[in-house]
Amino acid sequence: MAPETARQIEELDLKDGPLILCDVDEVALHFIAPFERHLLAHGFELVARSYGLNGNIVRQEDREPASREEVRELLLGFFDAETGNQQPVAGVAEALGELSQAAEVVMLTNIPERHRQLRSETLARHGMPYPVITNTGPKGPAARLLAERADGAVVFLDDSPSNIRSVGAFVDGASLVQFIADRRFFDLAGPIDGLSLKANDWPAARNFIVGRFGF
Ligand SMILES: [Mg+2]
């Protein structure tokens, strides 16, 4: 885990009890749709052949896949330009608002630390005034530190299979939810060992979490 991520977690004021660790991109805020527009504006296109970005972004001119470095630059360019403009997924603010009355909600997001403040403000503007922790790489180590701090049942929501596997490996007993707002990518996502729920809408995720915590 990056020292910056550990520092942010140490600063959190977390109550003991149930903890909801929620990803932002494609879970709380739409990511794929605005990222596709960003790609088109830069001569690239997203082709929904499999779940993930690498290999699925092609240069429009010759249909060749973008390199890993190009994907990285396109992503960073997107966050530089669009972090403040991303729109909420339907029902997320209502669901988290209700759940936050009985559980701690922490947004755990893989975005450069320099965008933390704007991401936090964007979420708050859309009714999600929860702490934002920025992470780099697989989320298991950060999730484990957060789980130790909260000392209660943990639900983790993310669209990324690698983050879900990582948290499954690091946090014993965590309930793992794969949430993908984009329907095409939801349909493409394959099975994940240990997954509790694969969801495409917030009412379903909310019902699962209520049942899991026994509210
Ligand atoms: Mg995400």
Side-chain angles (χ1 to χ4, degrees), residues 32 48-52 56 158-162 164-165 178-192 195 197-200:
I32 290 174
R49 286 183 297 224
S50 65
Y51 197 77
N56 286 327
D158 206 297
D159 59 311
S160 148
S162 58
I164 291 166
R165 289 195 187 94
Q178 185 177 33
F179 190 105
I180 306 173
D182 184 280
R183 185 73 213 189
R184 292 162 303 161
F185 283 93
F186 175 79
D187 289 341
L188 281 169
I192 299 173
L195 192 70
L197 177 73
K198 182 182 167 189
N200 177 242

Side-chain angles (χ1 to χ4, degrees), residues 60-115:
Q60 288 184 300
E61 197 179 289
D62 55 12
R63 312 303 292 171
E64 285 297 311
S67 68
R68 276 188 172 267
E69 183 51 31
E70 284 173 320
V71 172
R72 206 183 78 87
E73 279 175 18
L74 287 162
L75 264 177
L76 290 177
F78 172 79
F79 287 127
D80 283 340
E82 299 296 336
T83 296
N85 301 325
Q86 286 178 260
Q87 295 297 309
V89 172
V92 61
E94 295 81 354
L96 290 179
E98 182 191 345
L99 293 163
S100 70
Q101 294 176 20
E104 289 275 350
V105 176
V106 175
M107 312 305 286
L108 181 58
T109 182
N110 279 7
I111 192 173
E113 193 268 338
R114 67 178 181 277
H115 297 309

Side-chain angles (χ1 to χ4, degrees), residues 23-27 31 51 109 139 158-160 163 179:
D23 179 34
V24 176
D25 289 303
E26 208 49 30
V27 179
F31 164 76
Y51 197 77
T109 182
K139 292 183 178 176
D158 206 297
D159 59 311
S160 148
N163 283 331
F179 190 105

Side-chain angles (χ1 to χ4, degrees), residues 107-153:
M107 312 305 286
L108 181 58
T109 182
N110 279 7
I111 192 173
E113 193 268 338
R114 67 178 181 277
H115 297 309
R116 185 187 185 201
Q117 181 67 30
L118 181 55
R119 172 144 285 188
S120 184
E121 289 166 8
T122 306
L123 288 165
R125 181 155 45 87
H126 292 296
M128 293 173 275
Y130 310 110
V132 173
I133 302 293
T134 60
N135 180 72
T136 312
K139 292 183 178 176
R144 179 158 70 186
L145 188 55
L146 284 157
E148 286 167 1
R149 298 276 323 275
D151 199 26

